[in-house]
Amino acid sequence: MASLNPAACCMEGYAHHGEPAGTVCKYEDFDIYVAKPAVSTNKVIIYLTDIFGLPFTNHKLIADNFAKQGFLAVIPNLFYDDHIPFPRPDGFDLPGWVQRHQPQHTEPIIEKTFEFIKKEFPAVEKLFSVGYCYGGKYVVRLLDEGKLDAGYVAHPSFVSEDELRAIKAPLSIAAAEIDVVFPEEKRHQSESILKEIKATYNIVLYASVSHGFAVRGDLSDEVVTWTQEAAFWQAVQWFTRFSK
């Protein structure tokens, strides 16, 4: 594994306050959150969430911020009604939940999201994707299929070495210094694989923060607030580079 399976840290974090500015659309049998920029654009970010899924407000607020930077941002509901509630219930069976949300369950929803974009936003030419924790695996898998112009992942979970080795488009990684799912040895292993395949990539390590910092950190902590913002701008700058 280039990163390890989800662990207890994947179910921890803080809810952020704010009123989402986008809208929820129904496409076939699942919901998609859409955040539109003030001016029409030809670039989209497909936002793949952590295990708390679309109902978790933090994701919508981040998507809104991507829209403020000129990107159309869409968040598919990857889990239908089976997202992990926030805060998570005591004794929640994470391994059992993971077994219900394998690639054969998740990737059809992502495929339909591409269909939605093509139908509803035909002007889109540049396709990017961000993935947080659980969603990171699927960004990496999309980079193998030639469907993205670039991808970004933050504190990814259960990405296999073969999946990482197969990427064919640029990848940016935001890593936490304290992370049992994407620890130091896995960061170094991932870097070695990316160097080996001569990928276009960068890896940014953020000190003094834990797994989940880029989406559900404690914003009362100045260090966490700064690093979440820095990780956000890392994604924006990465996609801007490949928007031209």
Side-chain angles (χ1 to χ4, degrees):
M1 300 285 285
S3 63
L4 300 175
N5 289 329
C9 60
C10 298
M11 299 189 289
E12 298 171 350
Y14 294 80
H16 300 160
H17 300 292
E19 189 65 34
T23 57
V24 176
C25 306
K26 176 73 75 175
Y27 183 70
E28 296 194 2
D29 60 346
F30 68 102
D31 290 335
I32 299 178
Y33 181 81
V34 178
K36 297 179 182 179
V39 178
S40 62
T41 182
N42 69 343
K43 53 192 180 182
V44 65
I45 295 174
I46 299 169
Y47 184 126
L48 304 179
T49 67
D50 62 16
I51 59 182
F52 296 113
L54 181 58
F56 193 41
T57 299
N58 296 22
H59 295 306
K60 300 183 184 79
L61 297 177
I62 294 173
D64 290 348
N65 285 334
F66 282 127
K68 291 176 183 177
Q69 300 309 314
F71 296 88
L72 172 69
V74 299
I75 311 177
N77 184 355
L78 298 176
F79 313 125
Y80 294 99
D81 293 326
D82 193 33
H83 61 279
I84 294 179
F86 187 90
R88 64 165 171 101
D90 291 339
F92 187 85
D93 179 15
L94 180 60
W97 183 91
V98 168
Q99 288 305 309
R100 299 195 300 275
H101 297 284
Q102 293 295 304
Q104 67 267 28
H105 308 114
T106 301
E107 289 184 328
I109 298 170
I110 298 172
E111 287 295 323
K112 290 179 183 179
T113 303
F114 279 94
E115 293 175 8
F116 169 81
I117 293 166
K118 186 175 181 179
K119 289 180 181 179
E120 299 296 326
F121 304 99
V124 165
E125 298 175 348
K126 295 290 185 179
L127 293 108
F128 306 110
S129 186
V130 298
Y132 297 93
C133 192
Y134 174 94
K137 177 182 181 71
Y138 295 93
V139 173
V140 171
R141 290 171 68 91
L142 287 170
L143 291 172
D144 174 31
E145 299 172 7
K147 294 182 177 178
L148 299 177
D149 292 282
Y152 163 93
V153 299
H155 32 79
S157 63
F158 68 113
V159 177
S160 74
E161 294 178 31
D162 288 343
E163 287 169 338
L164 188 61
R165 189 172 279 109
I167 70 167
K168 299 179 178 66
L171 173 63
S172 181
I173 301 172
E177 181 182 31
I178 306 160
D179 193 339
V180 299
V181 175
F182 192 46
E184 182 177 5
E185 63 270 22
K186 293 300 179 183
R187 293 198 310 268
H188 293 168
Q189 184 178 29
S190 296
E191 182 180 355
S192 296
I193 290 170
L194 293 167
K195 288 170 63 177
E196 172 193 326
I197 65 173
K198 296 180 168 49
T200 300
Y201 74 98
N202 75 344
I203 299 177
V204 180
L205 176 63
Y206 293 92
S208 305
V209 290
S210 303
H211 184 92
F213 80 93
V215 70
R216 53 181 191 272
D218 179 4
L219 298 185
S220 68
D221 184 320
E222 181 182 359
V223 171
V224 174
T225 299
W226 186 92
T227 52
Q228 178 170 318
E229 291 177 357
F232 171 80
W233 286 109
Q234 178 185 336
V236 170
Q237 292 169 350
W238 189 248
F239 296 149
T240 299
R241 174 183 173 185
F242 297 104
S243 294
K244 302 174 182 178

